[in-house]
Amino acid sequence: MRLPRLFRTTPFRLTLLFLALFGAAASAFLAYIYVATAGEATRRTDQDITREMNSLVAAYDRAGVDAVNQSLIERAASERPFLYLLMKPDGTRISGSIAESPLEDINAVPARASFSVTDFDAQGRPIKHPARGFQEHLRGGEILFVGADISEDQAYVGKIVNALRGAGTLVVILGLLGGVLVSRNVSRSMAGLTDVVTAVRNGDLGARARVRGTRDEFDELAEGLNEMLDRLERSMAGHRHAGDAIAHDLRSPLTRLRARLEVAYLDVEAGKGDPEQALGQALEDTDGVLKTFGAVLAIARLQAAGQAPDQILFDPAQLAADIAELYEPLCEDAGLDFKAEMSDGLQARGNQEFLAQALANLLDNAVKYTPSGGAIMLRVRRRSSGEVEFSITDTGPGVPEEDRPRVVERFVRLENSRNQPGAGLGLSLVGAVAEAHGGRLELAEGPGKVGEIGPGLRVALILPRAG
């Protein structure tokens, strides 16, 4: 028979384990209380019997057997809780409150005995009471036995044991009830998380765990699960968008590539046309397609990881200087004035390879869209907030303010850039690099419009303060 789910939960099993441990400890404690209490009662009874025996022996030493006999008769008639028996050397009873010695061997002196005495209740029914006593020989050969009824002591010990047993039973019952309640609460909390996992497993990436606001470990687990699902949903959405965008944006170059190859094939077959030129154009188109794939994969890699890998502390001015050294000749060939300003003593944390690629993309865009005779400025500085800023400013046509949020999206190209080569992934990759480093990308107007040229564009890649 399968137990209900509540009784198969880990909290309930832990409750049973703790109750078992408590029961073992309580049993040991109960045994100790019983032994200690019963032992103390026995020692107290033995001390009382010993004092009574010594008192009678002293009376015998002073006045002989007649004085002891008289004392026994008086004490037996009183309400003293002792049992007495005075015997001759052969065991014949002289006087006392009991008929015979509870010891089988009356010559075993001194000796102790545990026995029972018979009493009668109001209806005349016999009742046996536990007792214990000592037996000693007197100087004249007589034998004296002194005992005591210990039924009250045993009844007291029994009450203590019963009280402890009842308390232990109550604790076990309350522990089981508490275990059931705790198990139900934990099961409710875990059921919500399990439902979310089941929903996600069935394809519902929008399912989220409820955060109760108690700030306990279940809330921490729910928050962590929700954060993981948010990241997973963004990643999946990004992959779906990337796949759709790639399929849409690469359709045209792939179609052109196929058409050119087909035309080149027909021209070669007809004995006309330049096959080398056709193959060169096909190779150029293929390189463009591969470059687009590389950029998309780089963006997907950063977004899937959540942060840039292999981050180290580095000097951002040195990184910018290396990039500037590569692009200064390129700007000269394009007829552009190139300058670089780097602040000293800066420190940033990040992946230099990704950051170098991002700066290269920004400079590529600046060179591509700035007319001949324009200027480009690469600057590295520390902001008042402690953040490190890489900025590239050009004197090109710029980007209208209403279009700036769009140009960082994948495959977005403005009308004035349709005749330029590219796939619209440069700023998207820079934005992904900034986000992967915990930073951001800001676009603003450049130095302004001069004549027919301008207003230019200022793009800033901002990294957080290096901790």
Side-chain angles (χ1 to χ4, degrees), residues 321-340:
D322 294 340
I323 297 296
E325 185 177 353
L326 293 176
Y327 276 85
E328 187 172 6
L330 182 61
C331 291
E332 291 180 359
D333 293 342
L336 302 175
D337 183 21
F338 180 80
K339 291 184 179 179

Side-chain angles (χ1 to χ4, degrees), residues 198-219:
T198 302
V200 173
R201 185 190 304 162
N202 293 332
D204 182 12
L205 295 181
R208 294 296 182 270
R210 184 173 68 90
V211 179
R212 300 174 299 173
T214 56
R215 308 308 303 169
D216 57 6
E217 61 274 11
F218 291 108
D219 269 7

Side-chain angles (χ1 to χ4, degrees), residues 70-141:
Q70 182 64 32
S71 179
L72 289 182
I73 294 174
E74 293 174 356
R75 297 186 184 195
S78 66
E79 296 182 357
R80 298 171 72 88
F82 295 103
L83 305 171
Y84 305 101
L85 178 62
L86 179 62
M87 297 175 288
K88 295 180 181 180
D90 59 359
T92 304
R93 180 177 182 275
I94 299 176
S95 62
S97 57
I98 57 177
E100 59 182 7
S101 173
L103 295 172
E104 296 181 1
D105 185 6
I106 61 173
N107 293 317
V109 178
R112 300 172 182 266
S114 295
F115 59 101
S116 60
V117 293
T118 303
D119 197 3
F120 297 92
D121 60 11
Q123 287 75 29
R125 291 174 298 187
I127 301 175
K128 289 189 175 184
H129 298 285
R132 61 184 290 110
F134 299 158
Q135 180 174 282
E136 286 192 7
H137 279 178
L138 302 178
R139 286 189 304 171

Side-chain angles (χ1 to χ4, degrees), residues 175-342:
L176 287 174
L177 293 177
V180 171
L181 293 177
V182 170
S183 299
R184 290 183 62 185
N185 291 335
V186 173
S187 296
R188 288 196 190 100
S189 301
M190 291 303 297
L193 299 177
T194 303
D195 292 341
V196 172
V197 173
T198 302
V200 173
R201 185 190 304 162
N202 293 332
D204 182 12
L205 295 181
R208 294 296 182 270
R210 184 173 68 90
V211 179
R212 300 174 299 173
T214 56
R215 308 308 303 169
D216 57 6
E217 61 274 11
F218 291 108
D219 269 7
E220 293 178 1
L221 181 59
E223 291 173 353
L225 180 61
N226 290 342
E227 182 179 353
M228 180 187 68
L229 291 176
D230 289 340
R231 184 175 297 177
L232 177 63
E233 187 175 23
R234 288 195 301 269
S235 177
M236 294 297 294
H239 285 305
R240 284 195 298 267
H241 176 73
D244 295 341
I246 288 174
H248 178 271
D249 206 76
L250 295 186
R251 183 181 303 165
S252 295
L254 289 175
T255 301
R256 287 196 302 270
L257 176 60
R258 186 186 184 283
R260 285 173 180 168
L261 290 175
E262 185 176 3
V263 170
Y265 173 75
L266 294 176
D267 288 345
V268 170
E269 191 176 45
K272 59 182 180 178
D274 187 356
E276 292 185 1
Q277 182 181 358
L279 289 175
Q281 186 63 47
L283 286 174
E284 184 178 344
D285 291 343
T286 304
D287 289 339
V289 173
L290 291 176
K291 186 176 181 181
T292 300
F293 269 115
V296 171
L297 290 177
I299 295 173
R301 175 187 173 190
L302 286 173
Q303 291 180 337
Q307 63 178 2
D310 304 326
Q311 298 189 39
I312 60 172
L313 287 174
F314 68 97
D315 183 0
Q318 183 61 47
L319 175 64
D322 294 340
I323 297 296
E325 185 177 353
L326 293 176
Y327 276 85
E328 187 172 6
L330 182 61
C331 291
E332 291 180 359
D333 293 342
L336 302 175
D337 183 21
F338 180 80
K339 291 184 179 179
E341 293 182 1
M342 290 84 169

Side-chain angles (χ1 to χ4, degrees), residues 21-74:
L21 295 176
F22 171 79
S27 299
F29 179 70
L30 182 63
Y32 170 77
I33 291 295
Y34 175 79
V35 172
T37 305
E40 179 61 26
T42 300
R43 283 191 297 273
R44 189 177 65 248
T45 301
D46 289 347
Q47 290 173 358
D48 293 341
I49 293 174
T50 300
R51 282 195 296 270
E52 189 72 8
M53 176 69 77
N54 292 337
S55 174
L56 292 172
V57 171
Y60 178 86
D61 292 339
R62 287 194 306 270
V65 68
D66 292 335
V68 174
N69 187 33
Q70 182 64 32
S71 179
L72 289 182
I73 294 174
E74 293 174 356

Side-chain angles (χ1 to χ4, degrees), residues 362 365 383 389-394 398-409 412 414 426-428 430-431 434 440-446 456-462:
L362 294 178
N365 284 343
R383 288 191 166 191
E389 176 189 277
F390 298 91
S391 65
I392 289 92
T393 305
D394 63 58
V399 176
E401 185 175 357
E402 63 273 13
D403 291 328
R404 289 170 192 166
R406 294 178 51 240
V407 294
V408 296
E409 298 177 2
V412 172
L414 302 182
L427 286 179
S428 298
V430 177
R440 62 190 183 278
L441 186 65
E442 293 182 355
L443 278 69
E445 187 174 296
L457 181 67
R458 181 179 184 273
V459 183
L461 172 60
I462 302 168

Side-chain angles (χ1 to χ4, degrees), residues 1-8 13:
M1 179 180 178
R2 188 176 179 84
L3 292 175
R5 184 177 182 276
L6 177 64
F7 298 106
R8 291 184 282 112
R13 292 177 179 175

